Amino acid sequence: MAESASTSAAILDIMTFFSEQSQLWRACGIRGLFHYEDVPGMISLLAGRPNSSTFPFESITMKVKPSVAGLDQTTTDDPYTITLENDVLNEAMQYGMTAGVGRFIKWLQEFQTHVHKRAFDGSWGVSVGSGSQDLMHKACVSLVEKDDFVLVETPVYSGTLGFLAALPCSLIEAPADAQGLNPSKLEQILANWETTHPGKPYPKLLYTIPSGSNPTGASIPEERKIEVLKLAKKYNFLVLEDDAYAYLYYGPEGKQARSYFALEPEVNGEMGRVVRFDSFSKVLSSGMRLGYMTAAPQLCAAVNMITSNTNLQPSTLTQIIAYSLLSRWGPEGFLAHCRGVAAFYRSRRDMFERVARKHLEGLAEWVTPVAGMFLYIKLLVHNDGREADSEKIVLGKATSKGVLAVPGTAFMPLKGPSPYLRVSFSLIEEDQADEACRRLREAVLEAKMEAEAEDAVGLGKKN
Ligand SMILES: Cc1ncc(COP(=O)(O)O)c(C=O)c1O
């Protein structure tokens, strides 16, 4: 481990975590030379870029909503309009750098320093991706080796399970509760590893969703994060921090936990164990497909290597649109915008909980989230506390009554049953939410009646 220049924390040698697969990609003979084009005076005959004068676009003008247009901006004449034209439009319409547009990456680096209080000291870098999921997949491809074990917070975002299933690893469920990932349960898994998995390597990665989890809505408090980080150091695994809902925090002011990325130097005296994923999907636009990974520079390079050989780069156009807005807002302006978005979801949460209480009192329970856009609802079908599998109720009864939610089993890495269902309150208006909960009530009541009838038959047989 080498000493970091700016702090006394050591830098983890992340290369020891890399998969063989990560070494097999071949640097693209063209993209690998792009940086020479920045040498002053260089005449480039390099890339087969199309000539942008042939593109049919003259300019692109976007109107910014007046409610957010002028956030923190002091210099722009017209805060409501973003126009891309001439050189900027040509750049936006053209192939660009693999890791992302340079000035956009710089903005993101400064933003990460601003938010997470980590100096840009060479211990980390930023790569832009076509959404954060693109980067999570590429990071896992770079890290996951045949026969590796990966700890997965459970229940968990089914999108991650989809690509992990295609990697040559085994998943280990690390249980989460109302307060997110449970460090005591995680410790139990690791402390018993040699008994439960004799001769097998310890898990290499932990994948976790710390804020407003998809699906549970839970946010892990800082004390738990500290325990998790200590376990990560003790048992030598990387923490993949998927913080897609970090900026949808609407809990008490000043109470939001610091990120794993912010905490790692302080807690463990080291840097590089946390790989952080951020997404613009929930706060700028999901269709722009922009996310960014903050990680050890070697991991950024490995992910960029995959990008350069697969989708070549994230969209230049959407990066430049995002940059136009973000550079105008500045970090504080962007955060102010995010607070506005979060307040929107808080009022949606309040509305949804109101109608859910009205229709599902005694038939379901949930924990009120302080971030994100989901309620994770446990169905109370059996009177004696036994748990019912929600899948049959959701896909059988609820859909036939005209209401759709995601059964909890979709979020179980090992596909176990679950009495939960996930509802999203992001889009729904009150009248529709009310009707949805009423239909859900009918479905649960029906399931309850059936369960009671089955129990009665069972009891009769016993007698
Ligand atoms: C937990 C979580 N991570 C990642 C993603 C994907 O985000 P992106 O749109 O940035 O790829 C989602 C999308 O819903 C999500 O819920």
Side-chain angles (χ1 to χ4, degrees):
M1 291 204 179
E3 281 292 293
S4 148
S6 60
T7 74
S8 57
I11 298 176
L12 182 83
D13 181 5
I14 199 163
M15 298 300 290
T16 61
F17 290 84
F18 277 20
S19 64
E20 262 179 44
Q21 153 80 227
S22 71
Q23 308 303 313
L24 299 180
W25 297 89
R26 216 169 69 184
C28 168
I30 304 167
R31 285 199 157 246
L33 300 177
F34 269 11
H35 62 277
Y36 282 115
E37 293 189 323
D38 294 336
V39 174
M42 185 68 74
I43 299 173
S44 176
L45 307 175
L46 187 71
R49 293 189 186 97
N51 192 311
S52 28
S53 68
T54 64
F55 295 158
F57 306 101
E58 180 80 34
S59 72
I60 297 177
T61 299
M62 297 183 88
K63 290 282 179 197
V64 182
K65 290 174 183 158
S67 56
V68 293
L71 285 175
D72 202 34
Q73 75 84 31
T74 45
T75 53
T76 313
D77 293 333
D78 176 4
Y80 303 112
T81 308
I82 289 174
T83 300
L84 307 183
E85 55 194 353
N86 305 322
D87 288 353
V88 177
L89 181 70
N90 284 344
E91 183 190 1
M93 288 289 160
Q94 188 55 272
Y95 287 123
M97 298 301 281
T98 303
V101 170
R103 57 190 183 285
F104 184 45
I105 292 189
K106 188 158 182 295
W107 192 95
L108 294 172
Q109 285 163 349
E110 286 168 8
F111 181 66
Q112 294 300 61
T113 297
H114 183 79
V115 171
H116 305 283
K117 311 288 178 258
R118 289 271 305 259
F120 189 56
D121 56 4
S123 68
W124 56 275
V126 167
S127 288
V128 180
S130 303
S132 61
Q133 186 150 333
D134 174 40
L135 297 161
M136 292 189 304
H137 173 233
K138 288 168 179 166
C140 286
V141 167
S142 305
L143 296 168
V144 172
E145 192 69 273
K146 191 169 175 317
D147 300 331
D148 272 349
F149 289 88
V150 174
L151 294 157
V152 183
E153 175 180 334
T154 299
V156 78
Y157 172 48
S158 51
T160 306
L161 293 177
F163 69 74
L164 282 177
L167 293 176
C169 56
S170 304
L171 304 186
I172 304 290
E173 296 184 343
D177 55 30
Q179 296 206 297
L181 180 65
N182 183 323
S184 312
K185 298 247 165 82
L186 181 61
E187 181 158 29
Q188 259 172 34
I189 294 171
L190 294 160
N192 295 328
W193 189 258
E194 289 183 5
T195 315
T196 54
H197 296 81
K200 301 286 184 198
Y202 276 76
K204 187 191 258 183
L205 309 174
L206 164 71
Y207 171 80
T208 180
I209 307 172
S211 319
S213 160
N214 180 359
T216 67
S219 299
I220 182 171
E222 200 162 301
E223 310 80 67
R224 280 194 174 194
K225 282 186 177 169
I226 291 170
E227 286 181 62
V228 171
L229 280 172
K230 286 183 179 161
L231 289 171
K233 186 170 184 185
K234 180 171 175 190
Y235 291 99
N236 197 28
F237 56 84
L238 300 181
V239 177
L240 305 192
E241 171 175 46
D242 173 5
D243 224 351
Y245 300 91
Y247 296 102
L248 297 191
Y249 173 79
Y250 39 74
E253 222 182 295
K255 295 279 183 228
Q256 187 172 15
R258 283 178 290 168
S259 67
Y260 283 108
F261 180 66
L263 288 166
E264 67 165 338
E266 184 181 311
V267 173
N268 281 344
E270 63 175 12
M271 301 186 283
R273 195 176 286 288
V274 174
V275 180
R276 182 177 167 83
F277 300 91
D278 283 279
S279 172
F280 281 116
S281 290
K282 324 294 171 184
V283 286
L284 281 191
S285 151
S286 40
M288 283 167 74
R289 304 307 303 128
L290 287 179
Y292 51 108
M293 178 182 83
T294 308
Q298 299 92 328
L299 185 57
C300 291
V303 164
N304 296 343
M305 174 65 87
I306 301 180
T307 298
S308 71
N309 283 297
T310 52
N311 56 323
L312 303 185
Q313 56 161 107
S315 156
T316 326
L317 174 60
T318 59
Q319 288 179 80
I320 287 190
I321 291 171
Y323 176 76
S324 306
L325 199 55
L326 294 169
S327 58
R328 184 182 285 190
W329 281 346
E332 277 305 318
F334 174 56
L335 291 172
H337 164 67
C338 293
R339 283 193 291 277
V341 178
F344 170 90
Y345 287 111
R346 183 180 48 225
S347 68
R348 284 284 156 119
R349 175 205 66 184
D350 292 346
M351 172 279 288
F352 200 94
E353 279 201 295
R354 217 171 29 247
V355 294
R357 265 188 233 109
K358 175 174 139 194
H359 293 290
L360 296 170
E361 194 79 68
L363 298 175
E365 61 186 22
W366 61 88
V367 176
T368 301
V370 293
M373 46 178 72
F374 305 111
L375 280 192
Y376 205 46
I377 296 182
K378 182 175 180 181
L379 301 181
L380 306 175
V381 172
H382 297 288
N383 296 329
D384 58 7
R386 270 176 302 142
E387 293 187 342
D389 183 8
S390 69
E391 191 167 49
K392 268 196 252 151
I393 303 168
V394 175
L395 299 184
K397 302 187 187 315
T399 48
S400 71
K401 293 183 190 308
V403 57
L404 188 59
V406 190
T409 188
F411 308 106
M412 303 303 283
L414 305 179
K415 298 198 169 81
S418 164
Y420 289 87
L421 55 90
R422 188 199 76 176
V423 304
S424 169
F425 50 77
S426 56
L427 296 176
I428 197 142
E429 300 295 339
E430 183 152 2
D431 55 339
Q432 289 277 294
D434 190 81
E435 179 58 18
C437 288
R438 193 193 63 74
R439 292 177 189 180
L440 214 46
R441 174 189 175 80
E442 282 186 8
V444 182
L445 282 175
E446 205 175 286
K448 239 176 130 52
M449 270 166 50
E450 283 177 14
E452 275 161 15
E454 273 169 29
D455 288 349
V457 171
L459 217 59
K461 275 193 188 145
K462 265 193 205 160
N463 295 336

